[in-house]
Amino acid sequence: MAWRSSGATNEELVNNLHKNGVIKNDRVRQAMLGVDRDHYAPRRPYEDCPQPIGHKATISAPHMHASACESLLGHLNPGSKVLDIGSGSGYLTHVLAELIKPHGTVIGIDHIQALTDLAKSNMCKSKEGTELLDSGTVKFITGDGRKGWPEGAPYDAIHVGAAAAEHHQVLTDQLRAPGRLFVPVEEDYAQHIYVIDKKEDGSLERKKLYGVQYVPLTDAPTV
Ligand code: SAH
């Protein structure tokens, strides 16, 4: 599905993702129309592919952002609490905030300070993004996302934007019941998206979805 949905403008990109069936729900479409990807991707913002943002990180492809929102949508409602691990450019953090505002919170966490600074300055390129930061609807934290962020738990939804080497129980521990974790997991030299639901009784249900290619969740660089 990569490449097919590119457009000349943000609106064209989002409408192509919708036409191609990647965006199914109008709430996701409206949220992505409300965030100009040009504020987050340094070049070719409306191409449906990942782009480098420095520090060995990439802004993920629009079709991956769209399918993460589609998958988490049942847990993204006004007032929801969301954790976005590996927030990188801040693009998805902003889109998630569009889906839970005005009363919820989205915490973006990245282990590279320069990237949490970049995410904040990217959000400040729009009036809407600035308001989300000023109101505390969006917060960026610098830290090791493999530990989640217990201070803000429990979360209705947790998105992981880098590939995990294992199922991190610490993350499902921080989910509300019900709640959902969307995480790329690396196993046998391949990566797949897993969706892990914590049901109302606290039990977990894991589903393996499709193959992907993400940068890995790692130790923080030492320089
Ligand atoms: N969702 C982001 C994806 C950025 S790429 C976007 O679309 O812009 C993955 C990000 O994960 C990088 O920014 C990288 O710095 C971050 N990352 C890698 N390991 C991490 C860790 N242990 N804790 C927090 N962030 C991590």
Side-chain angles (χ1 to χ4, degrees), residues 57-60 65 86 88-89 110-111 115 143-146 161 215 217-218:
T58 55
I59 175 172
S60 300
H65 288 140
S89 68
D110 204 285
H111 64 169
L115 288 175
D144 187 350
R146 291 173 293 193
V215 301
L217 274 175
T218 60

